[in-house]
Structures are given as structure tokens and as C-alpha cells.
Amino acid sequence: MMQIKSPFEITKLLLSTNPVERERGYNAFLGRTHWVKGNTTANLCKLASFQFQLNPEHIKILPPKIMNPKVLWASQVRLEQEKLHMVDAAHDYIAEQGEEFPPIIVWDLYQEKRIRYIVHDGHHRSWYFNNKKQNVEAVILQPMENYRSVEKCLALAFQIRRLAINLPIF
């Protein structure tokens, strides 16, 4: 079966009246969030490490934490309306099914005073939960032996200096 990646297609499946299609949409959404069934926080750490070309053994994984989206800094410049619709449809489906919403990935740059928590993956989910006046679950990664490398990988966050909830939507 072909993997569905388009936020538009995932949203369409999640909003379907067909339960099989809705589940396919849910699984496709989980795939986009890198939180497929059976994954752990270590899987998210490995993903982030791979994307930044780091050794995951040099990263401390904190227990998932419920965070206020208003303290999460962006590492990208914009949000996509289509992805926000997908997150909304997924949230409704997940609530109906009694499932857990996938956590976001956040770097804790603990040496920074102002821009401390930077979103690695989950900008749209952060915005969505802030819009609903709710907190978001985050897997928090602390760079230990590679702090400066992570800081360089997140340089855009320091350039744009925007909270994830304040990104423009296109």
C-alpha cells in the first residue's frame, strides 16, 4: 500500500465517513509526526540526532512534559494552513478514539536565558494547542556533549527570534 504524505490527503481521510479510511488517515498522520505505534521517546531522539548528524548517546532525553506553547521558539519561518487543517482533523479523530496525541520534539538549550525551548518537530501542533488554549506534550532533548553543534543546527531560531505560535500562516 502506498504511503500517504500529503496533509490534504490525510485530512480528507480523517474526515471520511468510512472508518477504514479514517484509520488510514490517522496512521498517515502518525507517520508524519514520527510517532508510529510502538515508538518511544528514544525513537524521537534518534530521529532528531540523525537529522542533525549527532550521536544520540550524547543527548539526554527528559521524560515527556506538558508545556505551554507560549514558551516554544520556532526553528522554521512559517506554518502551512493545510497542515493546520490536518492537525485539527487528527485531533478530533484522536479524541473520538481515546488515543494519545503525538508529542512534539523540543530542544532544551539550558544555557540560554531567553530562547531556551526550541521546537525541532511540531510547530503546527504547538500553534494548534495554543489556539485551543491548551498545553502540548513535548519530548525534551538536552544536548550534553554536543551543545554547540545543536546550537548551530538551530541557528535559524536565533535569527528569526519568533515563538512557534507567532509564525505566519501560508
Side-chain angles (χ1 to χ4, degrees):
M1 187 177 292
M2 194 168 79
Q3 193 174 6
I4 305 154
K5 294 215 178 230
S6 153
F8 177 79
E9 285 297 317
I10 293 170
T11 303
K12 190 173 154 188
L13 288 169
L14 284 164
L15 296 175
S16 170
T17 55
N18 181 328
V20 173
E21 285 186 0
R22 293 187 79 205
E23 185 167 353
R24 275 186 64 216
Y26 169 62
N27 288 322
F29 174 73
L30 290 180
R32 282 197 64 102
T33 66
H34 313 289
W35 191 250
V36 292
K37 289 175 180 140
N39 267 6
T40 65
T41 56
N43 294 108
L44 295 180
C45 179
K46 285 179 187 167
L47 170 77
S49 300
F50 176 77
Q51 290 174 336
F52 281 1
Q53 299 179 340
L54 302 170
N55 182 344
E57 293 176 19
H58 297 167
I59 297 168
K60 182 178 180 183
I61 308 168
L62 299 179
K65 179 179 178 181
I66 304 300
M67 297 190 75
N68 184 336
K70 289 177 172 61
V71 302
L72 302 173
W73 293 90
S75 62
Q76 65 185 45
V77 295
R78 64 186 173 94
L79 298 173
E80 298 171 40
Q81 189 71 52
E82 208 172 88
K83 287 183 181 179
L84 292 172
H85 290 311
M86 176 185 68
V87 171
D88 187 31
H91 184 268
D92 290 349
Y93 177 82
I94 289 167
E96 275 176 35
Q97 300 299 314
E99 299 281 350
E100 287 187 40
F101 205 81
I104 64 172
I105 304 172
V106 174
W107 287 100
D108 176 5
L109 296 185
Y110 48 86
Q111 294 177 6
E112 289 295 321
K113 297 285 184 255
R114 187 163 175 253
I115 300 179
R116 179 171 176 179
Y117 297 108
I118 301 175
V119 178
H120 180 98
D121 183 68
H123 291 81
H124 293 82
R125 287 172 276 162
S126 298
W127 185 94
Y128 176 82
F129 279 97
N130 183 67
N131 194 45
K132 295 285 185 189
K133 296 180 178 21
Q134 296 176 9
N135 292 327
V136 64
E137 184 178 14
V139 171
I140 302 171
L141 307 177
Q142 286 183 332
M144 302 315 280
E145 297 175 38
N146 47 21
Y147 190 96
R148 294 290 166 235
S149 298
V150 171
E151 206 173 43
K152 284 179 187 166
C153 291
L154 295 169
L156 183 60
F158 295 97
Q159 290 170 12
I160 61 174
R161 294 183 172 273
R162 274 204 149 157
L163 293 171
I165 61 170
N166 292 335
L167 290 173
I169 302 167
F170 291 92

